[in-house]
Structures are given as C-alpha cells and as structure tokens.
Amino acid sequence: MIKKATTIQAALLLIAVNSSAQAGWQDFLQGTIDQLSGNEEATQVASSLLSNSEITAGLKEALARGVETAINSLGQTGGFMDDSRVKIPLPGSLQLVERTARNLGQGQYADQFVATMNQAAEQAVPEAAGLLAEAIRQMSVEDAMQIVNGPDDAATQYFRRVSETQLAERFRPIIERATGQLGVTSAYKGLVSKAAPMLENSMLGGLVPQEALDVDQYVTDKALDGLFTHIALEEKRIRENPAARTTDLLKKVFSSD
C-alpha cells in the first residue's frame, strides 16, 4: 500500500498542461496521452489509496502532457528568441567580436546571427516528440517511483538520462539544414568581418580558433538545454499549482484522501 504522503509526493511531481492540438508530431504525443488515459487498470481506484501502477499511469500521462506543452512553446516562431530563459546568445568566444561590431555601429550583424541560431533551434525541437513519447511508454514502475521519491527535477533528469544522446543525434542534421537555409554561416562571417578591422589578427585568431566555433553543435546543445528547461518549468508548475492537474485519471490520482 502506498501511504497518502507518498501519493501527495507523486502528485507534486506530475506534469500536466492545457495546450491546443496541432497536426503532425503532436498527434503522436496525443496518441500516447489517449492510450494512457484509457488504461482501465490505472483509472480504477479501489480505495482512497493508490497502487504503484496507478501512480505510474498518472505520472506517464502527466509527463506526456508536459512534454507536449514544452514542444508547443519552443517549436514555434519566437519560441526561443522571445523567451529570455532559453534564448540562444552568441557563443562566449564571440563576445569581444560582438562588442566591437556594435561599437562600429554594425550591431545588426550580431542580431542577425542570434536570430538565425534561434530559428534553427525552433525547427529542431518538434523532432523530440517521438523520442520523448517512447521514453514515457518505456518507463517502468521502478522508474516512476524513483521520480516520485527523487529530487525536484527528477522527471527532467530521467528524460536527459534516457533520451539526450538520441535527441542530439536527431537535432543535429535538422539544425545543419536550418543553419544553411537561414544563413547562419554568412551571418557569422558578416559579424566577424565587421569586427576584424578593429582587432589585431593575432587577437582575433586567439579569440576564435578555427576549431572552437562549431555553430551547429552549439545550437544543438542550446536547443536541448532549452527543451529540458521547459520540461523542468512544467515540473515546477505542477508542484505549485494543483489546478494544473487535468483529465479524469489525474483527478483520481490527486483526489485521494
């Protein structure tokens, strides 16, 4: 039997979301949600206490909805660029180049570079839907209970552990195509060319070594960071806002006295 305190812990860790349905990749996630919601074993509450399987079913449903809202938020125009929490800045190695370009009145080159990197990340994020849905489906009762009894970001850590490498492999080619189409390379070259006259060649060479700026890898890493940041935000939201718990299954999980 699971004690009430453990049930409350589980509730506080679940991620639920109200989001509008969209076509394509969202249908896959919605299928996961529907499948979990329709699980008769999970929705039958025999007493005021919940079984491990019921907690697991509720957790899976909430995680699916949390992933959906994270992808909804980031995989749209301005999803990264307009969100200061995940906006992708210039790489640290280009900070001096940026300042120099702005001092020369050429700040538009830095702005263009930032904008194109963020747009590339927005194009890659929807690719996460399938992998994260599969990670949820494969979650065992043991995995679920470790999340229940783990730290505040236990669900986010779970996704990083089981899916980050595969996500990076999926993101990278999409970002490479996007950066090519959006002109990230030309934006970078424009930024550096405008700053170069004000910098000594030796300084510029030391500042941006040839192998140090892999823009595609940089955007891939930042896109993943942004995705997991949003998942963690949903995790925090459900801890602080019981009203976010939606659907019949989640209400049954959370209403145990």
Side-chain angles (χ1 to χ4, degrees):
M1 296 287 280
I2 303 299
K3 295 183 179 179
K4 178 180 177 182
T6 303
T7 301
I8 293 173
Q9 272 190 301
L12 292 175
L13 282 170
L14 300 183
I15 305 171
V17 61
N18 296 311
S19 59
S20 60
Q22 297 181 13
W25 53 266
Q26 274 190 304
D27 293 340
F28 189 35
L29 273 178
Q30 189 60 50
T32 300
I33 293 168
D34 293 342
Q35 177 184 344
L36 296 168
S37 299
N39 187 324
E40 293 183 2
E41 178 185 3
T43 55
Q44 293 174 347
V45 181
S47 68
S48 62
L49 297 178
L50 299 174
S51 70
N52 284 11
S53 65
E54 288 162 342
I55 290 175
T56 300
L59 177 61
K60 286 184 176 184
E61 180 184 341
L63 288 175
R65 292 182 180 275
V67 165
E68 183 181 24
T69 206
I71 294 174
N72 279 345
S73 297
L74 295 173
Q76 60 179 329
T77 301
F80 277 82
M81 190 70 178
D82 297 340
D83 187 339
S84 61
R85 296 166 299 190
V86 298
K87 179 179 178 180
I88 301 175
L90 286 173
S93 59
L94 290 179
Q95 296 296 316
L96 180 56
V97 175
E98 177 189 10
R99 288 196 300 271
T100 303
R102 292 192 186 282
N103 289 338
L104 291 170
Q106 302 296 328
Q108 71 269 23
Y109 289 96
D111 295 336
Q112 181 189 6
F113 189 22
V114 170
T116 52
M117 287 190 298
N118 282 272
Q119 290 166 25
E122 291 159 11
Q123 292 186 25
V125 161
E127 187 68 16
L131 283 172
L132 293 179
E134 186 62 23
I136 293 168
R137 286 175 174 162
Q138 295 298 322
M139 183 186 294
S140 66
V141 171
E142 181 180 0
D143 291 329
M145 298 314 294
Q146 286 177 352
I147 291 173
V148 167
N149 296 308
D152 289 348
D153 63 343
T156 306
Q157 288 186 30
Y158 169 79
F159 281 125
R160 277 195 180 273
R161 184 174 70 254
V162 303
S163 64
E164 186 170 26
T165 298
Q166 289 176 294
L167 284 171
E169 292 173 353
R170 293 279 187 91
F171 277 25
R172 173 79 188 217
I174 295 171
I175 286 171
E176 286 178 349
R177 287 196 298 271
T179 55
Q181 294 167 358
L182 295 168
V184 168
T185 300
S186 62
Y188 163 60
K189 289 180 178 178
L191 171 63
V192 173
S193 68
K194 293 301 175 182
M198 294 293 293
L199 295 168
E200 295 293 337
N201 289 335
S202 59
M203 179 185 294
L204 184 60
L207 180 67
V208 191
Q210 185 175 0
E211 71 279 5
L213 187 61
D214 181 343
V215 175
D216 294 326
Q217 188 60 52
Y218 175 74
V219 176
T220 296
D221 293 342
K222 290 296 184 182
L224 287 169
D225 288 345
L227 175 61
F228 289 123
T229 293
H230 264 255
I231 292 174
L233 288 170
E234 288 304 308
E235 200 169 353
K236 183 176 186 294
R237 186 176 74 89
I238 201 63
R239 297 173 200 279
E240 298 177 349
N241 181 16
R245 302 161 188 166
T246 60
T247 80
D248 290 342
L249 175 58
L250 295 180
K251 288 175 182 177
K252 287 179 180 180
V253 170
F254 297 136
S255 64
S256 179
D257 295 324

